[in-house]
Amino acid sequence: MSELEKIYRDAPRLRSPARLDAKILQSAHEAARVSAGRTIEADPIEAEKRRSLLSWKPGLALASVCTVGIGLGVAMQAGWHSRAPTISDIAQLETQASREEKVALSVAADHTFQGLEASADVVSESEVADTANASDLFIVQKSESTVAEASEDAVSSISAETMAATAASSTEILSEEIALQPSADVVTADSDAMGEAEGDDIRAERYRDREVSTKQAPRQMHKQTASAENTVALAAPPMALGESRSEKSKSFSDQVEVNRWLMAQNSENYTIKLTVAKTELALDAVAEKFKRRTEKAVGADAQWLLLHGSFTQRHQAELAQTVILNDAERDGSLGDLVPKIVRIGEVQQLLK
Amino acid sequence: MVFGDVSKQATRVTLFSFPRSSKAASDVKLLRAYAAGDSAAFDELYSRHKEGLFNFISRSLAQPAAAEEITQDVWMAVIDKAAEFEPGAAAFRTWLYRIASNKVADFYRRKVNQRTDELDTTNEQFSANQLDSEDRVLFHQLLAALAELPEEQRVTFVLQQEGFTYTEIAQITGVGNETVKSRLRYARSATQDRMELKA
């Protein structure tokens, strides 16, 4: 270090005046409040609503249980059986099943489980999209994790009987799905239900080498039964509520459909927008890369505008934006792109 | 929900407010949290950078009154553009100082027809009082010598003293690495000559 630099660095640091700090911080706080579309301090009702949404309360737990109930009800109406298989049913099934059938059985078990998760995605998406309401967003999110958090104190208000009943129902569904369709047909049906492009052969191949002993099936089912607590909120028949993933992917990139949707929205509503240059990615690639982060993609001049939701309140959009940001931070899927909240009208204007 | 792994949703929801954990969040996280409406995140960000930024602006200008005004302008720009910041392009600190560097340049452009060569050391006087008499003299000589440097050389020199690398200074000032080195060489040489110091 030269003498010059030593003189500089030895000098005491300047401190910004307190009045300047106060002025800047005040401006920042005001800007944050303005951008949030409301002043929490000045609006006690809104503040209370927000607090009640963010805190875990028995009411919310009850709402979650209701959501589960509706899901199970629909499942029953869709023809799902409610009778739980007995141990002897399973033993008889195993004795009769050939090795191929056992593989199918295992695949079916896995697929049933995955299918339920996939359908839960659909349920949540459709609910959020239809209502475009941040409260629902929270309720859906909470319902997805209701039973997973059941052991915690927060959900102590849910009675043990209610939990046992819902878990048992879920177990029945899982068990029936496995027990009553022990052939390879199950794989096909289930794959279709999942709405994924991956073929049955690939799926069967993936599991073919797995040695399934006669003891494994009930053990696996038992394991799933134990896990059923975690999936009880997800128990809805695939395709029963909302579109499948393949349909979603299609609608994501279907320009006519997206335009129709966009123009039907209130221009005062908010949406979350990502912008990608057309020169960077083709529409199919955009759909592939971002469909899990945004709902719609629409072309405007040289850009793809990726849109998520249509929210009547800005703070609802902010909640969804925060979830997207948290998610993206976890898996880095958005890269340098920053989701921005804009008025639907701005996007509509771009397409006119 | 389109946001993937459902088992973690509830946890993520609670992150809507910037988490006050013991683990320090990155500047980018803080800025994003602020852009999402969390003003406490801005407080943290401001406390991290306020001193360095104020020193940079003050010593780039050598005019305390103007330094306050420009510091405020810089932070207002951060507030306005928080949602537009792209972390891939530059680190937050580099971005912040680039805004400041542009504001300093704007200030000199505005003052081009006015007398700005008078060194105002009111603020530095206070800080220099903490030095012993010999160091105080040297420090005042340094400030006087810096004030005589061309704006771009002074800014480059001060940025280096604030701990930025050549590459970062190049990003902040919008010139190449070689230009940065050249400006630093001239700045050191001219200042040492004026202060009659050895290289």
Side-chain angles (χ1 to χ4, degrees):
Chain A
M1 187 188 298
S2 71
E3 193 173 353
L4 192 64
E5 284 154 354
K6 189 173 178 308
I7 294 168
Y8 186 100
R9 291 184 188 183
D10 284 350
R13 306 282 287 167
L14 294 171
R15 285 185 184 171
S16 59
R19 65 176 181 284
L20 178 64
D21 295 345
K23 209 187 290 181
I24 290 167
L25 291 176
Q26 189 185 354
S27 300
H29 292 188
E30 278 170 10
R33 279 197 291 269
V34 168
S35 75
R38 68 205 187 286
T39 306
I40 294 172
E41 289 80 354
D43 188 352
I45 297 171
E46 187 64 28
E48 179 53 35
K49 202 193 292 179
R50 179 183 152 91
R51 269 195 296 278
S52 64
L53 273 174
L54 289 172
S55 61
W56 180 244
K57 289 186 172 178
L60 200 54
L62 193 60
S64 303
V65 172
C66 289
T67 308
V68 171
I70 291 167
L72 290 173
V74 174
M76 301 289 275
Q77 280 207 336
W80 288 31
H81 298 265
S82 59
R83 183 181 71 82
T86 61
I87 295 296
S88 61
D89 287 342
I90 296 164
Q92 189 181 3
L93 183 70
E94 284 173 8
T95 312
Q96 290 169 357
S98 65
R99 182 180 180 278
E100 197 175 322
E101 285 171 335
K102 284 171 192 163
V103 171
L105 187 68
S106 168
V107 174
D110 281 358
H111 285 194
T112 302
F113 198 64
Q114 291 167 13
L116 290 172
E117 287 182 331
S119 66
D121 251 1
V122 173
V123 173
S124 303
E125 283 166 20
S126 61
E127 280 186 27
V128 172
D130 289 344
T131 58
N133 184 310
S135 306
D136 292 342
L137 178 73
F138 270 87
I139 289 169
V140 170
Q141 287 172 341
K142 286 290 185 185
S143 71
E144 287 165 349
S145 57
T146 299
V147 189
E149 294 182 1
S151 60
E152 295 176 14
D153 295 337
V155 290
S156 58
S157 61
I158 301 174
S159 70
E161 289 82 1
T162 309
M163 293 299 299
T166 44
S169 303
S170 175
T171 307
E172 287 169 9
I173 292 167
L174 288 167
S175 306
E176 285 292 323
E177 186 70 7
I178 296 162
L180 298 174
Q181 301 180 40
S183 71
D185 292 341
V186 176
V187 181
T188 309
D190 217 3
S191 299
D192 288 343
M194 287 176 71
E196 291 184 354
E198 199 169 1
D200 302 336
D201 292 341
I202 299 170
R203 290 182 181 284
E205 185 66 35
R206 194 194 295 169
Y207 291 94
R208 186 137 305 156
D209 296 329
R210 187 193 293 175
E211 189 59 41
V212 183
S213 74
T214 51
K215 299 287 180 190
Q216 256 181 330
R219 200 181 300 138
Q220 187 173 7
M221 192 177 72
H222 182 71
K223 187 178 165 190
Q224 287 184 350
T225 303
S227 306
E229 286 181 6
N230 293 331
T231 57
V232 64
L234 311 176
M239 302 287 284
L241 294 168
E243 58 190 357
S244 71
R245 283 186 180 178
S246 59
E247 284 172 337
K248 178 176 172 53
S249 176
K250 183 171 174 292
S251 70
F252 182 96
S253 52
D254 187 331
Q255 293 296 282
V256 175
E257 193 180 316
V258 174
N259 268 299
R260 194 183 297 133
W261 171 83
L262 188 63
M263 293 309 170
Q265 300 306 305
N266 185 337
S267 61
E268 292 301 300
N269 282 5
Y270 296 91
T271 189
I272 300 164
K273 186 186 81 172
L274 285 166
T275 307
V276 179
K278 282 183 178 175
T279 49
E280 285 179 27
L281 288 173
L283 182 54
D284 286 347
V286 165
E288 186 58 36
K289 187 170 180 186
F290 296 107
K291 68 186 174 189
R292 285 189 63 76
R293 296 284 167 269
T294 55
E295 294 175 331
K296 318 277 182 193
V298 63
D301 294 332
Q303 295 174 324
W304 297 118
L305 306 178
L306 314 181
L307 308 173
H308 176 79
S310 175
F311 304 89
T312 54
Q313 301 290 318
R314 188 181 171 91
H315 68 91
Q316 296 167 346
E318 285 173 348
L319 290 172
Q321 183 194 35
T322 306
V323 176
I324 291 176
L325 284 171
N326 285 338
D327 236 11
E329 191 168 87
R330 183 171 54 85
D331 59 19
S333 58
L334 293 185
D336 294 337
L337 297 180
V338 179
K340 290 177 188 170
I341 297 172
V342 296
R343 296 265 191 191
I344 289 269
E346 288 178 42
V347 184
Q348 289 170 335
Q349 205 61 39
L350 286 172
L351 299 179
K352 280 179 182 170
Chain B
M1 274 293 301
V2 291
F3 309 120
D5 188 0
V6 293
S7 64
K8 295 180 181 170
Q9 291 298 338
T11 313
R12 270 184 236 135
V13 167
T14 61
L15 295 178
F16 177 68
S17 284
F18 171 66
R20 281 84 175 163
S21 64
S22 56
K23 189 180 174 185
S26 70
D27 288 344
V28 174
K29 281 183 184 171
L30 289 172
L31 192 66
R32 279 180 170 171
Y34 174 65
D38 186 353
S39 45
F42 184 88
D43 294 357
E44 171 68 17
L45 200 59
Y46 182 72
S47 71
R48 284 184 191 180
H49 296 285
K50 66 173 183 176
E51 187 185 286
L53 188 73
F54 188 69
N55 272 272
F56 163 68
I57 293 171
S58 298
R59 286 171 180 167
S60 294
L61 295 173
Q63 294 187 351
E68 282 186 35
E69 183 191 326
I70 290 177
T71 304
Q72 189 175 346
D73 286 351
V74 171
W75 284 108
M76 290 302 120
V78 171
I79 291 165
D80 287 344
K81 297 178 190 302
E84 297 168 24
F85 173 69
E86 293 180 6
F92 170 77
R93 187 165 174 251
T94 309
W95 181 66
L96 177 68
Y97 278 75
R98 177 157 198 162
I99 295 172
S101 173
N102 289 338
K103 296 282 181 194
V104 168
D106 288 346
F107 173 81
Y108 277 103
R109 272 196 286 276
R110 283 202 307 270
K111 300 281 181 183
V112 74
N113 293 322
Q114 299 174 21
R115 280 182 60 83
T116 56
D117 52 352
E118 287 174 19
L119 179 63
D120 179 352
T121 58
T122 316
N123 214 19
E124 297 287 8
Q125 197 74 48
F126 175 76
S127 83
N129 283 344
Q130 298 169 48
L131 297 169
D132 60 38
S133 57
E134 189 184 347
D135 287 344
R136 196 185 309 168
V137 169
L138 282 172
F139 185 55
H140 276 291
Q141 282 179 353
L142 172 61
L143 291 176
L146 284 177
E148 290 181 33
L149 289 175
E151 174 244 329
E152 63 273 16
Q153 287 180 23
R154 180 164 58 244
V155 166
T156 306
F157 179 83
V158 176
L159 281 171
Q160 195 198 28
Q161 303 317 307
E162 293 297 328
F164 287 100
T165 64
Y166 290 148
T167 308
E168 286 170 335
I169 296 171
Q171 285 176 342
I172 290 168
T173 55
V175 297
N177 276 15
E178 291 308 312
T179 309
V180 170
K181 288 177 191 172
S182 156
R183 284 178 181 175
L184 277 173
R185 206 164 41 244
Y186 281 118
R188 279 200 207 103
S189 170
T191 312
Q192 280 163 350
D193 286 349
R194 287 189 182 100
M195 294 176 70
E196 297 176 350
L197 294 171
K198 290 176 195 168

